[in-house]
């Protein structure tokens, strides 16, 4: 992990000193993140995304398309490793900081008009799922997706990590790793990479590729050749 960037190390430290781990609210491959979206003068119809070329969410730490292409070229291309030894419990989540779990913080970050109770749990608000254009009105219906799924990370190098780094990865709020989406889209994605699954909304392919590439690069994870090629194609959908 000699190339690990400072933000991942700082996240690991923060998680090491966090007061507790809250494991509730976890789904098959975690998901949740509504979005602040680019808009135009035409209102969306039937829950469809705005008529723009690019959906803009609240994902932090996104690189520019130019920087993402550079990062993509720096990734190591390798076959996926074995799933031997994998267990989701080896990626503890959701960590609690200042009384709010990582899941709750993403719900607050990504929602609109979010109201929370004394336990930091959202009681009202709305969340836009950038994967499929669905708007959700209850927090319980929002999955928090790991952009790079935990099992995919395991096959890409996380099998060699220590527990502290895996916890940092599973609770990373500083990079574009956690995203609020609909349960249906999250479970359709599962642990698949972009070579096998892309968001149903093509308007989100650019940002999806930016986020996926940034996470893989930031954590020194490998990509397969097919994964690399699909990411390159998705980055070509970014606005000039």
């Amino acid at each position: 992990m000699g190339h690990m960037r400072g933000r991942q190390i700082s996240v690991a430290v923060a998680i090491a000193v966090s007061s507790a781990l809250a494991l509730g609210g976890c789904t098959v491959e975690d998901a949740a993140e509504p979005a602040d979206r680019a808009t135009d003068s035409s209102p969306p119809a039937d829950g469809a995304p705005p008529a723009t070329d690019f959906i803009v969410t609240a994902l932090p730490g996104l690189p520019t398309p130019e920087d993402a292409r550079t990062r993509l070229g720096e990734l190591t291309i390798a076959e996926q490793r074995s799933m031997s030894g994998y267990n989701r419990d080896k990626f503890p989540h959701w960590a609690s900081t200042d009384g709010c779990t990582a899941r709750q913080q993403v719900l607050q970050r990504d929602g609109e008009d979010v109201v929370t109770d004394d336990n930091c749990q959202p009681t009202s608000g709305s969340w836009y799922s950038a994967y499929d254009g669905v708007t959700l009105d209850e927090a319980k219906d929002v999955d928090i997706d790991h952009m790079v799924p935990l099992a995919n990370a395991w096959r890409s190098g996380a099998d060699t990590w220590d527990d502290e780094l895996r916890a940092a990865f599973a609770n990373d709020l500083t990079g574009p790793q956690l995203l609020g989406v609909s349960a249906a889209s999250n479970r359709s994605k599962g642990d698949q990479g972009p070579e096998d699954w892309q968001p149903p909304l093509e308007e989100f392919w650019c940002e999806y590729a930016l986020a996926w590439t940034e996470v893989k690069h930031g954590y020194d994870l490998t990509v397969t050749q097919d994964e690399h090629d699909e990411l390159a194609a998705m980055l070509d959908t970014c606005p000039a």
Side-chain angles (χ1 to χ4, degrees):
M1 294 297 105
H3 299 295
M4 188 61 59
R5 294 193 311 216
R7 72 173 178 82
Q8 278 74 37
I9 295 174
S10 66
V11 173
V13 172
I15 290 177
V17 300
S18 55
S19 58
L21 285 170
L23 298 178
C26 185
T27 64
V28 176
E29 263 305 334
D30 321 292
E33 160 210 58
D36 295 331
R37 309 177 287 289
T39 59
D40 72 339
S41 58
S42 301
D46 300 325
T52 63
D53 294 328
F54 188 38
I55 294 176
V56 180
T57 69
L59 277 171
L62 286 177
T64 65
E66 181 179 1
D67 286 343
R69 291 185 183 96
T70 298
R71 287 163 170 68
L72 181 61
E74 293 171 347
L75 294 176
T76 298
I77 297 176
E79 294 298 320
Q80 291 188 337
R81 303 187 188 196
S82 169
M83 283 292 289
S84 177
Y86 172 74
N87 190 310
R88 285 178 63 80
D89 292 342
K90 293 184 177 181
F91 294 83
H93 56 286
W94 303 105
S96 180
T97 305
D98 297 329
C100 297
T101 68
R103 170 181 167 83
Q104 291 170 333
Q105 292 181 68
V106 174
L107 288 171
Q108 291 182 56
R109 181 196 74 192
D110 296 344
E112 295 183 3
D113 302 320
V114 177
V115 176
T116 62
D117 61 22
D118 291 341
N119 295 316
C120 213
Q121 179 61 26
T123 57
S124 63
S126 65
W127 294 266
Y128 177 79
S129 172
Y131 284 173
D132 52 8
V134 174
T135 296
L136 306 163
D137 295 322
E138 295 191 43
K140 66 180 179 61
D141 295 329
V142 180
D143 277 4
I144 305 300
D145 180 45
H146 287 104
M147 176 62 61
V148 175
L150 306 182
N152 185 287
W154 182 270
R155 297 191 297 267
S156 305
D159 58 331
T160 67
W161 295 353
D162 59 24
D163 291 343
E164 184 178 46
L165 184 53
R166 283 196 287 261
F169 179 81
N171 297 276
D172 189 349
L173 293 168
T174 63
Q177 167 65 340
L178 300 179
L179 175 67
V181 297
S182 68
S185 64
N186 180 44
R187 294 165 197 184
S188 172
K189 173 183 174 182
D191 66 353
Q192 299 176 96
E195 71 276 23
D196 294 316
W197 186 91
Q198 303 89 35
L201 285 184
E202 292 188 24
E203 293 88 344
F204 191 61
W205 284 10
C206 171
E207 192 166 354
Y208 190 81
L210 294 175
W212 186 283
T213 301
E214 180 69 14
V215 173
K216 284 263 173 152
H217 185 271
Y219 284 93
D220 289 331
L221 294 170
T222 63
V223 292
T224 67
Q225 185 65 62
D226 287 345
E227 180 182 354
H228 172 280
D229 293 348
E230 185 60 37
L231 286 168
M234 293 173 78
L235 288 174
D236 284 343
T237 69
C238 293

